[in-house]
Amino acid sequence: MAWTTYQIGLAVMMLFTGSLNTLSAKWADITKAPDCKGKVYVFDHPFLQAVGMFLGEFLCLVTFKLIYCIAQRRGTTGENQFVQGSQEFSPFVFLPPALLDMCGTSIMYIGLNLTYASSFQMLRGAVMIFTGLLSVAFLGKKMTLYHWLGMLVVVAGLAIVGVSDIVFGDNSKADMNGIISGDLLIIMAQIIAAAQMVYEEKFVTKYNVPALQAVGWEGFFGFCTLGFLLIPFYYINAGSFAPNDPEHRLENAPGAMCQLANSWVIAFATFGNVLSIAFFNFSGISVTKELSATTRMVLDSGRTLVIWIVSLSIQWQKFQYLQVVGFVLLVFGMCIYNDILFRPLINKMRNRGPSLTETDAPTYGTSSASINRDKERLVYE
């Protein structure tokens, strides 16, 4: 069936805002501006950027409340797909996943400061592997041959992307060490992201909370918690962990605010990132409802391609053919894992049995518990 104009608009919005999430954050990261004391350095503030991400997610809760109020006045709460669901739950059920999201996103933003934007987006595909393994361990899910094969292909893709950064990088030894560290941090963060998804599936989905509201509550708790932690972070001397900050603070929020005020580029990129995260979550949820979770996964892979092309065109990095190979393997592996490649074709040819997606096997990008966000979560979801 042909897509409607509304559905096409949602797909374009998701692709555009999803790509903008990573690109705007990286744009701010490489921009220099003076701080409150007049010292000029790059905008290296991963924790503050994570707070901005949670603010974008919190805007989803504001949007939900507006839609809910309008639906209540019109008496259409049972028909509006954005507010359908139960309201019989405690908001604190979203505190644990918010804390996991806070840790994972902060680590990912640190990694983004160190590596390429395209590698950042591609390496986030590792969340599929850890989600599958943790689903088997803690949710009792069953992995089929297709799932294991998909995971192996994704591992191969991730390895090639990482190797391409090392073998074909023309950076100094110090920069190369930073790139390797950034890649490893991003992969480590996916373990936390996978734990968040497994928690959501085990403890959150049973409440049948509207997706927009769920994202908003996690954004609220993450924004409040990490926003408060910025205070003690200011007084912690991070040493070489914060090499760009003249005072080597773990997070210099006042200095970041001065840099925002002194550079329209940083301000534009930062606030654009907040808004793009809000619109990305809204459009992503809408695409899942209007089209399918598979379409959402394809669009999410498409934004990785957009980020890579833009990074090349504005010379943030040089062309590396291994990245193309790695990207193709990542998408190929995700398609195998989500059972949208070989098995449906075989079933269609033999005209027998249901697809594996009707089993209780863990699914990346298609589970209602896997609420995507950039952070690059930013997912993958």
Side-chain angles (χ1 to χ4, degrees):
M1 188 176 71
W3 286 11
T4 65
T5 303
Y6 176 65
Q7 290 171 336
I8 293 175
L10 287 175
V12 172
M13 182 190 296
M14 180 183 171
L15 186 62
F16 174 75
T17 57
S19 304
L20 191 61
N21 289 347
T22 301
L23 293 171
S24 59
K26 188 62 180 180
W27 190 20
D29 290 344
I30 62 176
T31 303
K32 293 183 178 181
D35 63 5
C36 304
K37 298 181 179 179
K39 296 180 179 179
V40 180
Y41 55 95
V42 294
F43 190 77
D44 184 6
H45 301 282
F47 296 103
L48 187 68
Q49 285 179 312
V51 171
M53 186 213 72
F54 283 119
L55 177 59
E57 291 185 358
F58 175 60
L59 291 177
C60 291
L61 182 61
V62 177
T63 303
F64 170 83
K65 293 297 184 182
L66 291 174
I67 296 175
Y68 188 80
C69 289
I70 293 173
Q72 268 192 324
R73 290 187 177 183
R74 296 178 178 176
T76 59
T77 52
E79 302 172 6
N80 193 308
Q81 59 183 351
F82 290 108
V83 299
Q84 286 179 346
S86 174
Q87 296 299 311
E88 300 296 326
F89 67 93
S90 170
F92 287 98
V93 73
F94 295 103
L95 179 58
L99 295 178
L100 289 170
D101 195 6
M102 179 186 72
C103 296
T105 301
S106 299
I107 293 174
M108 279 194 289
Y109 274 126
I110 294 173
L112 179 59
N113 271 289
L114 299 172
T115 191
Y116 304 113
S118 59
S119 298
F120 167 83
Q121 193 64 37
M122 292 181 192
L123 292 173
R124 291 178 66 183
V127 70
M128 186 199 78
I129 299 170
F130 298 120
T131 301
L133 295 175
L134 291 178
S135 295
V136 172
F138 297 100
L139 299 179
K141 298 288 186 176
K142 296 179 180 178
M143 298 281 283
T144 67
L145 176 62
Y146 281 87
H147 293 102
W148 288 113
L149 178 60
M151 288 170 61
L152 287 175
V153 174
V154 168
V155 169
L158 293 171
I160 290 175
V161 171
V163 169
S164 69
D165 290 343
I166 300 172
V167 175
F168 292 96
D170 57 353
N171 304 278
S172 65
K173 184 177 180 180
D175 291 338
M176 186 56 62
N177 289 337
I179 290 173
I180 296 173
S181 299
D183 289 351
L184 291 175
L185 285 172
I186 293 167
I187 293 176
M188 288 171 56
Q190 304 319 302
I191 302 176
I192 302 175
Q196 176 192 350
M197 293 180 185
V198 171
Y199 174 90
E200 288 173 345
E201 185 167 350
K202 187 173 181 66
F203 297 106
V204 177
T205 53
K206 63 182 179 181
Y207 295 103
N208 191 29
V209 181
L212 204 61
Q213 187 179 21
V215 172
W217 275 117
E218 289 188 13
F220 170 78
F221 285 117
F223 177 77
C224 293
T225 304
L226 189 54
F228 174 78
L229 288 175
L230 291 181
I231 299 174
F233 284 179
Y234 177 77
Y235 296 100
I236 297 176
N237 190 317
S240 59
F241 182 76
N244 293 315
D245 183 62
E247 300 175 354
H248 301 288
R249 300 182 187 276
L250 183 59
E251 182 56 277
N252 191 346
M257 293 302 173
C258 289
Q259 287 185 298
L260 281 168
N262 292 328
S263 173
W264 70 267
V265 172
I266 295 177
F268 181 77
T270 301
F271 291 115
N273 182 260
V274 172
L275 292 177
S276 68
I277 287 171
F279 280 103
F280 174 69
N281 280 282
F282 175 81
S283 59
I285 292 167
S286 301
V287 164
T288 303
K289 291 179 178 293
E290 288 283 333
L291 298 167
S292 67
T294 300
T295 303
R296 183 174 180 176
M297 190 206 75
V298 172
L299 290 172
D300 200 56
S301 300
R303 72 187 180 114
T304 303
L305 182 61
V306 171
I307 292 168
W308 182 65
I309 293 174
V310 172
S311 297
L312 288 175
S313 63
I314 59 180
Q315 298 183 343
W316 280 358
Q317 67 180 88
K318 292 185 177 181
F319 177 79
Q320 302 168 7
Y321 74 88
L322 276 182
Q323 274 204 332
V324 180
V325 177
F327 172 72
V328 171
L329 286 176
L330 286 172
V331 175
F332 190 61
M334 291 176 188
C335 290
I336 296 174
Y337 184 90
N338 284 301
D339 199 18
I340 61 175
L341 195 60
F342 292 128
R343 184 73 175 192
L345 180 61
I346 294 174
N347 286 337
K348 185 176 181 180
M349 294 174 63
R350 297 182 178 179
N351 193 24
R352 70 175 189 182
S355 169
L356 284 178
T357 52
E358 297 178 19
T359 70
D360 63 345
T363 309
Y364 168 73
T366 58
S367 170
S368 59
S370 301
I371 303 172
N372 267 350
R373 50 183 72 80
D374 265 182
K375 306 116 216 173
E376 15 188 254
R377 272 198 321 62
L378 302 210
V379 268
Y380 205 153
E381 12 149 333

